[in-house]
Amino acid sequence: MHLLRSVLVSLLTASALALPGAEKQSSVKHRRAAGYALKEPPLTTPWTDKVGTNPWPEYPRPQLQRSQWQNLNGVWQYQNASGLDAVQSPPFGQDLGQEVLIPSCLESGLSGIQGNYTLYSWFSTSFEVPSDWDGQNVLLNFGAVDYEATVFVNGQKAGFHRGGYFKFSVDVTRFVKQGQKNELLVFVHDPTDSGDYVIPIGKQTLEPSHIFYTPCSGIWQTVWIEPVPMNHISRLDLDGNKDGQVNITVHTAANVSTSVQVVVHDGDHVVATHRGPTNRPFQFKVVSPKLWSPNSPNLYKVTVILGQDRVQSYTGFRTIERGTVNGVVRPLLNDEFIFLFATLDQGYWPDGIYTPPTKEAMVYDLQLLKKLGFNTVRKHIKVEPELFYQTCDELGLLVIQDMPALRPSQSRTLANGTSVPILPDPAQQVEFGRQLEVLVNQLKSFPSIAAWVIYNEGWGQITTYYPEIELTARVKQLDPTRLVDSTTGWYDHGAGDFSDNHHYANPQCGTPFYSINSSPYDDTRIGFQGEFGGLGNNVSIEHLWNNQNAINSINQTYEIDITVEAWNYRSHLLLSELKDQVTRFSCSGGVWTQTTDVEGEVNGLMTYDRRLQRVDEEQWKADIQGLYDAAAARSNATVSL
């Protein structure tokens, strides 16, 4: 292991960040299989041993919250399935033989399985419907299942869902029995990048290598049930702009037009009440709202009442658009140029893979970014639990949200020996577009989201024609209140709001020079550095993903800095270079790679286990503030070269 260099822990000691206390869990009866046990992952975090057998007790859907619910997270049963045909012979009423923690990725230590090639799986548990829910419909909700889920309740097929990053609900009213245990059985098929499948997978791969990581299969976000009236609120589209206008659509299960009441609260004070129709947009105003921004993340509670259905939500008043400031196209927040400075945030965990061990752990990452002065996070080709976006809303962190990529940077060899990139066929491209719509519709009500990313570095992007042009128009129609970064890095054909360059290690942001992997700066759009940095600093084995293939790939990092002092010195130089490009050219923001190390990558602000920080906090705070100061100065004066 000649690659391993010991570093002094005292140089990297993590700053103490306040972690929020765990919220109270709803009462729930689980099938408790005594055999569940954490499997030791290649690396742990400070939260690994705190997960227990009742993980993620928090209410998981903060923008459509009901007072009655039952959390089904905990110890379930699991068994591997033989293939797709297994769904035709469900193991009703059978002991599945192994115990698994829900929610978790089957490949994770927290799952108790830590499997490989878990392409086909069965999951089971049982639940009781509380007696005081009698007369109401029962919804069974899943935060996310990767990739396809077939749901059975009491021996009957209740629903099917495709898409590994998105929530879905199944009305199980006609399948459940009051006062009895109800059997829940879920068949999951997750092909990842096997065979000819071209599906949204982000950085998941069955063969992890350097910048591509361990996959996540199975039920990896919260499962819960809740009672609702037969005609209930199924979705809220909610947006507040800088002028106090509330734009809202209240979708209902019955899909008929009726009246709904909306009440907006500022703390304990009602600031607006309005009645409008269901299933079509309507607007009303809040007078003189306190605006939402990273410096003042003001949020307003919203209550929506449809007959006997009452849900709690929230919104923030802000307007995100693009405009010209002193001759340069800029991102604007509430009519002012905002320099967007983010980290590339992968959202991977050594103990949970895609599933953070706890909410506290997830919040810890975001608190660190906010503490250092970042005002944005780029959620990199992954979708997080909704509590992640709520935390960004509350902290004041803008979000650039990527669509998970299709088969990144993979090729196949044709019969004639030619190697060609693996790209979607027409049906797979249609499915990618459908899931892009789901992404936007499910997340567009979070005030923190500033921009949508369609393609990252050409991964899964067809270049014989330009699908991003139509997809950009589709996203703009679904959500006209956000910017769209159609192609971050590589194949830019003029679509969207950003002229986005990727370059490691130093930046090329809105400049009259560019690299082979990005297009020239287009001054009709926002000049943006979608990725840069990537500076590596190796650490001792106790803070590394202890997998030999990952360790062997460390020297593939863009740059290795021998000491943490050298790493901070190089970071300072690159941030100073970005600042110079803000002053001289048309740079409107950047994304530093990255929040944490991931598996064989050692270029994070923190190590993968979150136990050590590389950052010299005072230096980074000053350098980041320098970017904002340079942007403010450029907004107020024309700089001549």
Side-chain angles (χ1 to χ4, degrees), residues 235 237-239 249 251 433-445 452 470-482 484:
R235 186 178 111 198
D237 296 341
L238 183 59
D239 171 71
T249 304
H251 302 264
R434 184 192 72 84
Q435 292 192 34
L436 175 64
E437 289 187 24
V438 174
L439 171 76
V440 173
N441 281 329
Q442 289 199 357
L443 297 183
K444 66 184 180 182
S445 294
W452 308 103
E470 185 276 326
L471 291 174
T472 299
R474 199 187 312 184
V475 170
K476 287 283 192 180
Q477 183 176 21
L478 290 171
D479 180 16
T481 71
R482 300 318 201 295
V484 179

PDB file of all heavy atoms in Angstrom, residues 235 237-239 249 251 433-445 452 470-482 484:
ATOM      1  N   ARG A 235     -51.033  16.123  -4.525  1.00  0.00           N
ATOM      2  CA  ARG A 235     -49.791  16.851  -4.820  1.00  0.00           C
ATOM      3  C   ARG A 235     -50.056  18.339  -4.709  1.00  0.00           C
ATOM      4  O   ARG A 235     -51.142  18.817  -5.064  1.00  0.00           O
ATOM      5  CB  ARG A 235     -49.307  16.509  -6.241  1.00  0.00           C
ATOM      6  CG  ARG A 235     -47.944  17.087  -6.598  1.00  0.00           C
ATOM      7  CD  ARG A 235     -47.536  16.656  -8.017  1.00  0.00           C
ATOM      8  NE  ARG A 235     -47.542  17.786  -8.938  1.00  0.00           N
ATOM      9  CZ  ARG A 235     -47.567  17.680 -10.270  1.00  0.00           C
ATOM     10  NH1 ARG A 235     -47.622  16.499 -10.831  1.00  0.00           N
ATOM     11  NH2 ARG A 235     -47.560  18.764 -11.033  1.00  0.00           N
ATOM     12  N   ASP A 237     -48.342  21.938  -6.010  1.00  0.00           N
ATOM     13  CA  ASP A 237     -47.355  22.750  -6.722  1.00  0.00           C
ATOM     14  C   ASP A 237     -47.458  24.150  -6.124  1.00  0.00           C
ATOM     15  O   ASP A 237     -48.490  24.814  -6.255  1.00  0.00           O
ATOM     16  CB  ASP A 237     -47.646  22.797  -8.221  1.00  0.00           C
ATOM     17  CG  ASP A 237     -47.537  21.433  -8.884  1.00  0.00           C
ATOM     18  OD1 ASP A 237     -46.902  20.539  -8.300  1.00  0.00           O
ATOM     19  OD2 ASP A 237     -48.101  21.263  -9.983  1.00  0.00           O
ATOM     20  N   LEU A 238     -46.382  24.601  -5.474  1.00  0.00           N
ATOM     21  CA  LEU A 238     -46.457  25.811  -4.661  1.00  0.00           C
ATOM     22  C   LEU A 238     -45.228  26.670  -4.901  1.00  0.00           C
ATOM     23  O   LEU A 238     -44.095  26.192  -4.789  1.00  0.00           O
ATOM     24  CB  LEU A 238     -46.546  25.408  -3.184  1.00  0.00           C
ATOM     25  CG  LEU A 238     -46.704  26.482  -2.119  1.00  0.00           C
ATOM     26  CD1 LEU A 238     -47.970  27.301  -2.351  1.00  0.00           C
ATOM     27  CD2 LEU A 238     -46.754  25.822  -0.741  1.00  0.00           C
ATOM     28  N   ASP A 239     -45.460  27.931  -5.256  1.00  0.00           N
ATOM     29  CA  ASP A 239     -44.350  28.841  -5.516  1.00  0.00           C
ATOM     30  C   ASP A 239     -44.746  30.239  -5.067  1.00  0.00           C
ATOM     31  O   ASP A 239     -45.875  30.689  -5.304  1.00  0.00           O
ATOM     32  CB  ASP A 239     -44.025  28.859  -7.026  1.00  0.00           C
ATOM     33  CG  ASP A 239     -43.037  29.950  -7.383  1.00  0.00           C
ATOM     34  OD1 ASP A 239     -41.853  29.804  -7.010  1.00  0.00           O
ATOM     35  OD2 ASP A 239     -43.440  30.962  -8.001  1.00  0.00           O
ATOM     36  N   THR A 249     -51.130  25.017  -7.407  1.00  0.00           N
ATOM     37  CA  THR A 249     -52.055  24.055  -7.976  1.00  0.00           C
ATOM     38  C   THR A 249     -52.223  22.938  -6.959  1.00  0.00           C
ATOM     39  O   THR A 249     -51.235  22.339  -6.520  1.00  0.00           O
ATOM     40  CB  THR A 249     -51.540  23.465  -9.302  1.00  0.00           C
ATOM     41  OG1 THR A 249     -51.276  24.519 -10.222  1.00  0.00           O
ATOM     42  CG2 THR A 249     -52.567  22.514  -9.905  1.00  0.00           C
ATOM     43  N   HIS A 251     -53.506  19.417  -6.573  1.00  0.00           N
ATOM     44  CA  HIS A 251     -53.943  18.212  -7.281  1.00  0.00           C
ATOM     45  C   HIS A 251     -54.671  17.300  -6.312  1.00  0.00           C
ATOM     46  O   HIS A 251     -54.268  17.157  -5.143  1.00  0.00           O
ATOM     47  CB  HIS A 251     -52.741  17.479  -7.869  1.00  0.00           C
ATOM     48  CG  HIS A 251     -51.925  18.308  -8.816  1.00  0.00           C
ATOM     49  ND1 HIS A 251     -52.089  18.271 -10.183  1.00  0.00           N
ATOM     50  CD2 HIS A 251     -50.932  19.203  -8.584  1.00  0.00           C
ATOM     51  CE1 HIS A 251     -51.229  19.099 -10.755  1.00  0.00           C
ATOM     52  NE2 HIS A 251     -50.516  19.677  -9.814  1.00  0.00           N
ATOM     53  N   GLY A 433     -36.879  11.094 -20.541  1.00  0.00           N
ATOM     54  CA  GLY A 433     -37.675  12.324 -20.531  1.00  0.00           C
ATOM     55  C   GLY A 433     -38.820  12.264 -19.547  1.00  0.00           C
ATOM     56  O   GLY A 433     -39.126  13.257 -18.862  1.00  0.00           O
ATOM     57  N   ARG A 434     -39.457  11.107 -19.448  1.00  0.00           N
ATOM     58  CA  ARG A 434     -40.554  10.965 -18.475  1.00  0.00           C
ATOM     59  C   ARG A 434     -40.044  11.149 -17.054  1.00  0.00           C
ATOM     60  O   ARG A 434     -40.651  11.862 -16.242  1.00  0.00           O
ATOM     61  CB  ARG A 434     -41.209   9.587 -18.609  1.00  0.00           C
ATOM     62  CG  ARG A 434     -42.422   9.401 -17.688  1.00  0.00           C
ATOM     63  CD  ARG A 434     -42.875   7.951 -17.604  1.00  0.00           C
ATOM     64  NE  ARG A 434     -41.951   7.124 -16.841  1.00  0.00           N
ATOM     65  CZ  ARG A 434     -41.956   7.021 -15.513  1.00  0.00           C
ATOM     66  NH1 ARG A 434     -42.827   7.717 -14.789  1.00  0.00           N
ATOM     67  NH2 ARG A 434     -41.092   6.232 -14.897  1.00  0.00           N
ATOM     68  N   GLN A 435     -38.912  10.515 -16.734  1.00  0.00           N
ATOM     69  CA  GLN A 435     -38.387  10.632 -15.378  1.00  0.00           C
ATOM     70  C   GLN A 435     -37.852  12.036 -15.098  1.00  0.00           C
ATOM     71  O   GLN A 435     -37.902  12.503 -13.953  1.00  0.00           O
ATOM     72  CB  GLN A 435     -37.322   9.564 -15.136  1.00  0.00           C
ATOM     73  CG  GLN A 435     -37.908   8.161 -15.103  1.00  0.00           C
ATOM     74  CD  GLN A 435     -36.943   7.118 -14.591  1.00  0.00           C
ATOM     75  OE1 GLN A 435     -36.115   7.383 -13.725  1.00  0.00           O
ATOM     76  NE2 GLN A 435     -37.047   5.902 -15.125  1.00  0.00           N
ATOM     77  N   LEU A 436     -37.348  12.725 -16.117  1.00  0.00           N
ATOM     78  CA  LEU A 436     -36.967  14.129 -15.947  1.00  0.00           C
ATOM     79  C   LEU A 436     -38.188  14.957 -15.541  1.00  0.00           C
ATOM     80  O   LEU A 436     -38.101  15.820 -14.654  1.00  0.00           O
ATOM     81  CB  LEU A 436     -36.349  14.659 -17.238  1.00  0.00           C
ATOM     82  CG  LEU A 436     -36.002  16.154 -17.267  1.00  0.00           C
ATOM     83  CD1 LEU A 436     -34.920  16.497 -16.250  1.00  0.00           C
ATOM     84  CD2 LEU A 436     -35.553  16.565 -18.686  1.00  0.00           C
ATOM     85  N   GLU A 437     -39.324  14.707 -16.151  1.00  0.00           N
ATOM     86  CA  GLU A 437     -40.551  15.401 -15.764  1.00  0.00           C
ATOM     87  C   GLU A 437     -40.925  15.098 -14.315  1.00  0.00           C
ATOM     88  O   GLU A 437     -41.340  15.999 -13.558  1.00  0.00           O
ATOM     89  CB  GLU A 437     -41.705  14.995 -16.688  1.00  0.00           C
ATOM     90  CG  GLU A 437     -41.602  15.524 -18.106  1.00  0.00           C
ATOM     91  CD  GLU A 437     -42.854  15.233 -18.915  1.00  0.00           C
ATOM     92  OE1 GLU A 437     -43.931  15.049 -18.296  1.00  0.00           O
ATOM     93  OE2 GLU A 437     -42.775  15.181 -20.148  1.00  0.00           O
ATOM     94  N   VAL A 438     -40.797  13.845 -13.914  1.00  0.00           N
ATOM     95  CA  VAL A 438     -41.107  13.468 -12.531  1.00  0.00           C
ATOM     96  C   VAL A 438     -40.198  14.220 -11.570  1.00  0.00           C
ATOM     97  O   VAL A 438     -40.643  14.729 -10.535  1.00  0.00           O
ATOM     98  CB  VAL A 438     -40.978  11.941 -12.356  1.00  0.00           C
ATOM     99  CG1 VAL A 438     -41.156  11.573 -10.878  1.00  0.00           C
ATOM    100  CG2 VAL A 438     -42.008  11.206 -13.200  1.00  0.00           C
ATOM    101  N   LEU A 439     -38.903  14.281 -11.893  1.00  0.00           N
ATOM    102  CA  LEU A 439     -37.953  15.016 -11.058  1.00  0.00           C
ATOM    103  C   LEU A 439     -38.420  16.447 -10.829  1.00  0.00           C
ATOM    104  O   LEU A 439     -38.478  16.930  -9.683  1.00  0.00           O
ATOM    105  CB  LEU A 439     -36.578  15.017 -11.717  1.00  0.00           C
ATOM    106  CG  LEU A 439     -35.516  15.917 -11.087  1.00  0.00           C
ATOM    107  CD1 LEU A 439     -34.970  15.285  -9.808  1.00  0.00           C
ATOM    108  CD2 LEU A 439     -34.381  16.202 -12.055  1.00  0.00           C
ATOM    109  N   VAL A 440     -38.756  17.134 -11.900  1.00  0.00           N
ATOM    110  CA  VAL A 440     -39.149  18.537 -11.792  1.00  0.00           C
ATOM    111  C   VAL A 440     -40.453  18.671 -11.007  1.00  0.00           C
ATOM    112  O   VAL A 440     -40.568  19.508 -10.094  1.00  0.00           O
ATOM    113  CB  VAL A 440     -39.269  19.164 -13.195  1.00  0.00           C
ATOM    114  CG1 VAL A 440     -39.835  20.583 -13.105  1.00  0.00           C
ATOM    115  CG2 VAL A 440     -37.910  19.172 -13.894  1.00  0.00           C
ATOM    116  N   ASN A 441     -41.430  17.852 -11.325  1.00  0.00           N
ATOM    117  CA  ASN A 441     -42.725  17.969 -10.657  1.00  0.00           C
ATOM    118  C   ASN A 441     -42.641  17.648  -9.167  1.00  0.00           C
ATOM    119  O   ASN A 441     -43.356  18.249  -8.352  1.00  0.00           O
ATOM    120  CB  ASN A 441     -43.752  17.060 -11.334  1.00  0.00           C
ATOM    121  CG  ASN A 441     -44.290  17.656 -12.621  1.00  0.00           C
ATOM    122  OD1 ASN A 441     -44.381  18.879 -12.758  1.00  0.00           O
ATOM    123  ND2 ASN A 441     -44.624  16.813 -13.585  1.00  0.00           N
ATOM    124  N   GLN A 442     -41.770  16.713  -8.789  1.00  0.00           N
ATOM    125  CA  GLN A 442     -41.704  16.332  -7.382  1.00  0.00           C
ATOM    126  C   GLN A 442     -40.917  17.319  -6.527  1.00  0.00           C
ATOM    127  O   GLN A 442     -41.152  17.401  -5.323  1.00  0.00           O
ATOM    128  CB  GLN A 442     -41.122  14.926  -7.248  1.00  0.00           C
ATOM    129  CG  GLN A 442     -42.076  13.844  -7.735  1.00  0.00           C
ATOM    130  CD  GLN A 442     -41.731  12.459  -7.217  1.00  0.00           C
ATOM    131  OE1 GLN A 442     -40.740  12.255  -6.523  1.00  0.00           O
ATOM    132  NE2 GLN A 442     -42.555  11.491  -7.554  1.00  0.00           N
ATOM    133  N   LEU A 443     -39.998  18.063  -7.127  1.00  0.00           N
ATOM    134  CA  LEU A 443     -39.130  18.927  -6.329  1.00  0.00           C
ATOM    135  C   LEU A 443     -39.341  20.427  -6.554  1.00  0.00           C
ATOM    136  O   LEU A 443     -38.763  21.235  -5.833  1.00  0.00           O
ATOM    137  CB  LEU A 443     -37.660  18.593  -6.613  1.00  0.00           C
ATOM    138  CG  LEU A 443     -37.190  17.181  -6.243  1.00  0.00           C
ATOM    139  CD1 LEU A 443     -35.705  17.035  -6.528  1.00  0.00           C
ATOM    140  CD2 LEU A 443     -37.484  16.855  -4.788  1.00  0.00           C
ATOM    141  N   LYS A 444     -40.170  20.815  -7.509  1.00  0.00           N
ATOM    142  CA  LYS A 444     -40.200  22.222  -7.908  1.00  0.00           C
ATOM    143  C   LYS A 444     -40.798  23.158  -6.859  1.00  0.00           C
ATOM    144  O   LYS A 444     -40.669  24.378  -6.979  1.00  0.00           O
ATOM    145  CB  LYS A 444     -40.949  22.384  -9.229  1.00  0.00           C
ATOM    146  CG  LYS A 444     -42.427  22.059  -9.186  1.00  0.00           C
ATOM    147  CD  LYS A 444     -43.036  22.161 -10.593  1.00  0.00           C
ATOM    148  CE  LYS A 444     -44.504  21.839 -10.619  1.00  0.00           C
ATOM    149  NZ  LYS A 444     -45.060  21.894 -11.995  1.00  0.00           N
ATOM    150  N   SER A 445     -41.425  22.633  -5.814  1.00  0.00           N
ATOM    151  CA  SER A 445     -41.996  23.507  -4.792  1.00  0.00           C
ATOM    152  C   SER A 445     -41.006  23.898  -3.700  1.00  0.00           C
ATOM    153  O   SER A 445     -41.337  24.708  -2.835  1.00  0.00           O
ATOM    154  CB  SER A 445     -43.226  22.839  -4.158  1.00  0.00           C
ATOM    155  OG  SER A 445     -44.273  22.717  -5.107  1.00  0.00           O
ATOM    156  N   TRP A 452     -32.144  23.510 -12.824  1.00  0.00           N
ATOM    157  CA  TRP A 452     -32.184  22.092 -13.180  1.00  0.00           C
ATOM    158  C   TRP A 452     -31.061  21.798 -14.172  1.00  0.00           C
ATOM    159  O   TRP A 452     -30.827  22.586 -15.093  1.00  0.00           O
ATOM    160  CB  TRP A 452     -33.518  21.726 -13.820  1.00  0.00           C
ATOM    161  CG  TRP A 452     -34.731  22.133 -13.039  1.00  0.00           C
ATOM    162  CD1 TRP A 452     -35.561  23.190 -13.283  1.00  0.00           C
ATOM    163  CD2 TRP A 452     -35.260  21.481 -11.877  1.00  0.00           C
ATOM    164  NE1 TRP A 452     -36.570  23.245 -12.361  1.00  0.00           N
ATOM    165  CE2 TRP A 452     -36.412  22.204 -11.478  1.00  0.00           C
ATOM    166  CE3 TRP A 452     -34.877  20.362 -11.134  1.00  0.00           C
ATOM    167  CZ2 TRP A 452     -37.187  21.836 -10.383  1.00  0.00           C
ATOM    168  CZ3 TRP A 452     -35.642  19.998 -10.042  1.00  0.00           C
ATOM    169  CH2 TRP A 452     -36.785  20.725  -9.668  1.00  0.00           C
ATOM    170  N   GLU A 470     -35.268  20.110 -26.915  1.00  0.00           N
ATOM    171  CA  GLU A 470     -36.666  19.827 -26.591  1.00  0.00           C
ATOM    172  C   GLU A 470     -36.854  19.619 -25.091  1.00  0.00           C
ATOM    173  O   GLU A 470     -37.846  20.077 -24.507  1.00  0.00           O
ATOM    174  CB  GLU A 470     -37.125  18.585 -27.361  1.00  0.00           C
ATOM    175  CG  GLU A 470     -38.609  18.256 -27.207  1.00  0.00           C
ATOM    176  CD  GLU A 470     -38.929  17.436 -25.948  1.00  0.00           C
ATOM    177  OE1 GLU A 470     -38.084  16.606 -25.554  1.00  0.00           O
ATOM    178  OE2 GLU A 470     -40.007  17.635 -25.352  1.00  0.00           O
ATOM    179  N   LEU A 471     -35.906  18.942 -24.456  1.00  0.00           N
ATOM    180  CA  LEU A 471     -36.037  18.682 -23.017  1.00  0.00           C
ATOM    181  C   LEU A 471     -35.977  19.977 -22.212  1.00  0.00           C
ATOM    182  O   LEU A 471     -36.678  20.131 -21.208  1.00  0.00           O
ATOM    183  CB  LEU A 471     -34.949  17.718 -22.556  1.00  0.00           C
ATOM    184  CG  LEU A 471     -35.068  16.277 -23.066  1.00  0.00           C
ATOM    185  CD1 LEU A 471     -33.848  15.465 -22.655  1.00  0.00           C
ATOM    186  CD2 LEU A 471     -36.348  15.616 -22.559  1.00  0.00           C
ATOM    187  N   THR A 472     -35.154  20.912 -22.649  1.00  0.00           N
ATOM    188  CA  THR A 472     -35.086  22.208 -21.978  1.00  0.00           C
ATOM    189  C   THR A 472     -36.426  22.932 -22.070  1.00  0.00           C
ATOM    190  O   THR A 472     -36.924  23.488 -21.076  1.00  0.00           O
ATOM    191  CB  THR A 472     -33.976  23.073 -22.585  1.00  0.00           C
ATOM    192  OG1 THR A 472     -32.723  22.422 -22.408  1.00  0.00           O
ATOM    193  CG2 THR A 472     -33.925  24.450 -21.934  1.00  0.00           C
ATOM    194  N   ALA A 473     -37.022  22.928 -23.254  1.00  0.00           N
ATOM    195  CA  ALA A 473     -38.331  23.563 -23.423  1.00  0.00           C
ATOM    196  C   ALA A 473     -39.379  22.893 -22.543  1.00  0.00           C
ATOM    197  O   ALA A 473     -40.250  23.562 -21.951  1.00  0.00           O
ATOM    198  CB  ALA A 473     -38.748  23.499 -24.893  1.00  0.00           C
ATOM    199  N   ARG A 474     -39.282  21.577 -22.415  1.00  0.00           N
ATOM    200  CA  ARG A 474     -40.237  20.839 -21.590  1.00  0.00           C
ATOM    201  C   ARG A 474     -40.086  21.216 -20.109  1.00  0.00           C
ATOM    202  O   ARG A 474     -41.068  21.431 -19.396  1.00  0.00           O
ATOM    203  CB  ARG A 474     -40.041  19.336 -21.771  1.00  0.00           C
ATOM    204  CG  ARG A 474     -41.253  18.529 -21.334  1.00  0.00           C
ATOM    205  CD  ARG A 474     -41.011  17.031 -21.352  1.00  0.00           C
ATOM    206  NE  ARG A 474     -40.405  16.497 -22.551  1.00  0.00           N
ATOM    207  CZ  ARG A 474     -40.195  15.195 -22.743  1.00  0.00           C
ATOM    208  NH1 ARG A 474     -40.561  14.318 -21.801  1.00  0.00           N
ATOM    209  NH2 ARG A 474     -39.621  14.763 -23.851  1.00  0.00           N
ATOM    210  N   VAL A 475     -38.836  21.286 -19.646  1.00  0.00           N
ATOM    211  CA  VAL A 475     -38.595  21.665 -18.249  1.00  0.00           C
ATOM    212  C   VAL A 475     -39.067  23.093 -18.000  1.00  0.00           C
ATOM    213  O   VAL A 475     -39.683  23.392 -16.964  1.00  0.00           O
ATOM    214  CB  VAL A 475     -37.101  21.507 -17.907  1.00  0.00           C
ATOM    215  CG1 VAL A 475     -36.790  22.115 -16.545  1.00  0.00           C
ATOM    216  CG2 VAL A 475     -36.707  20.038 -17.925  1.00  0.00           C
ATOM    217  N   LYS A 476     -38.799  23.994 -18.933  1.00  0.00           N
ATOM    218  CA  LYS A 476     -39.238  25.391 -18.779  1.00  0.00           C
ATOM    219  C   LYS A 476     -40.763  25.491 -18.716  1.00  0.00           C
ATOM    220  O   LYS A 476     -41.313  26.331 -18.001  1.00  0.00           O
ATOM    221  CB  LYS A 476     -38.716  26.224 -19.948  1.00  0.00           C
ATOM    222  CG  LYS A 476     -37.231  26.515 -19.904  1.00  0.00           C
ATOM    223  CD  LYS A 476     -36.900  27.621 -18.909  1.00  0.00           C
ATOM    224  CE  LYS A 476     -35.486  28.110 -19.060  1.00  0.00           C
ATOM    225  NZ  LYS A 476     -35.164  29.188 -18.083  1.00  0.00           N
ATOM    226  N   GLN A 477     -41.446  24.622 -19.453  1.00  0.00           N
ATOM    227  CA  GLN A 477     -42.904  24.640 -19.407  1.00  0.00           C
ATOM    228  C   GLN A 477     -43.412  24.107 -18.067  1.00  0.00           C
ATOM    229  O   GLN A 477     -44.350  24.656 -17.484  1.00  0.00           O
ATOM    230  CB  GLN A 477     -43.482  23.802 -20.550  1.00  0.00           C
ATOM    231  CG  GLN A 477     -45.003  23.827 -20.620  1.00  0.00           C
ATOM    232  CD  GLN A 477     -45.545  23.070 -21.818  1.00  0.00           C
ATOM    233  OE1 GLN A 477     -44.865  22.222 -22.381  1.00  0.00           O
ATOM    234  NE2 GLN A 477     -46.757  23.379 -22.215  1.00  0.00           N
ATOM    235  N   LEU A 478     -42.774  23.034 -17.563  1.00  0.00           N
ATOM    236  CA  LEU A 478     -43.166  22.480 -16.277  1.00  0.00           C
ATOM    237  C   LEU A 478     -42.855  23.436 -15.135  1.00  0.00           C
ATOM    238  O   LEU A 478     -43.585  23.491 -14.144  1.00  0.00           O
ATOM    239  CB  LEU A 478     -42.438  21.151 -16.037  1.00  0.00           C
ATOM    240  CG  LEU A 478     -42.850  19.966 -16.891  1.00  0.00           C
ATOM    241  CD1 LEU A 478     -41.881  18.807 -16.672  1.00  0.00           C
ATOM    242  CD2 LEU A 478     -44.277  19.538 -16.561  1.00  0.00           C
ATOM    243  N   ASP A 479     -41.729  24.162 -15.261  1.00  0.00           N
ATOM    244  CA  ASP A 479     -41.295  25.047 -14.188  1.00  0.00           C
ATOM    245  C   ASP A 479     -40.656  26.308 -14.774  1.00  0.00           C
ATOM    246  O   ASP A 479     -39.434  26.364 -14.938  1.00  0.00           O
ATOM    247  CB  ASP A 479     -40.298  24.328 -13.267  1.00  0.00           C
ATOM    248  CG  ASP A 479     -39.828  25.224 -12.126  1.00  0.00           C
ATOM    249  OD1 ASP A 479     -40.491  26.259 -11.873  1.00  0.00           O
ATOM    250  OD2 ASP A 479     -38.799  24.905 -11.510  1.00  0.00           O
ATOM    251  N   PRO A 480     -41.451  27.311 -15.084  1.00  0.00           N
ATOM    252  CA  PRO A 480     -40.890  28.551 -15.643  1.00  0.00           C
ATOM    253  C   PRO A 480     -40.197  29.427 -14.605  1.00  0.00           C
ATOM    254  O   PRO A 480     -39.664  30.484 -14.948  1.00  0.00           O
ATOM    255  CB  PRO A 480     -42.127  29.256 -16.211  1.00  0.00           C
ATOM    256  CG  PRO A 480     -43.266  28.740 -15.401  1.00  0.00           C
ATOM    257  CD  PRO A 480     -42.921  27.323 -15.049  1.00  0.00           C
ATOM    258  N   THR A 481     -40.163  28.995 -13.327  1.00  0.00           N
ATOM    259  CA  THR A 481     -39.614  29.829 -12.265  1.00  0.00           C
ATOM    260  C   THR A 481     -38.139  29.530 -11.979  1.00  0.00           C
ATOM    261  O   THR A 481     -37.560  30.130 -11.079  1.00  0.00           O
ATOM    262  CB  THR A 481     -40.408  29.640 -10.959  1.00  0.00           C
ATOM    263  OG1 THR A 481     -40.139  28.338 -10.415  1.00  0.00           O
ATOM    264  CG2 THR A 481     -41.897  29.790 -11.205  1.00  0.00           C
ATOM    265  N   ARG A 482     -37.513  28.611 -12.715  1.00  0.00           N
ATOM    266  CA  ARG A 482     -36.116  28.245 -12.469  1.00  0.00           C
ATOM    267  C   ARG A 482     -35.292  28.384 -13.738  1.00  0.00           C
ATOM    268  O   ARG A 482     -35.809  28.425 -14.864  1.00  0.00           O
ATOM    269  CB  ARG A 482     -35.974  26.789 -12.004  1.00  0.00           C
ATOM    270  CG  ARG A 482     -36.672  26.348 -10.729  1.00  0.00           C
ATOM    271  CD  ARG A 482     -36.608  27.303  -9.585  1.00  0.00           C
ATOM    272  NE  ARG A 482     -36.848  26.708  -8.284  1.00  0.00           N
ATOM    273  CZ  ARG A 482     -37.974  26.150  -7.863  1.00  0.00           C
ATOM    274  NH1 ARG A 482     -39.001  26.022  -8.667  1.00  0.00           N
ATOM    275  NH2 ARG A 482     -38.080  25.703  -6.632  1.00  0.00           N
ATOM    276  N   VAL A 484     -32.306  26.715 -16.259  1.00  0.00           N
ATOM    277  CA  VAL A 484     -31.985  25.368 -16.742  1.00  0.00           C
ATOM    278  C   VAL A 484     -30.560  25.355 -17.272  1.00  0.00           C
ATOM    279  O   VAL A 484     -30.205  26.157 -18.138  1.00  0.00           O
ATOM    280  CB  VAL A 484     -32.963  24.898 -17.841  1.00  0.00           C
ATOM    281  CG1 VAL A 484     -32.575  23.497 -18.338  1.00  0.00           C
ATOM    282  CG2 VAL A 484     -34.400  24.892 -17.327  1.00  0.00           C
TER     283      VAL A 484
END
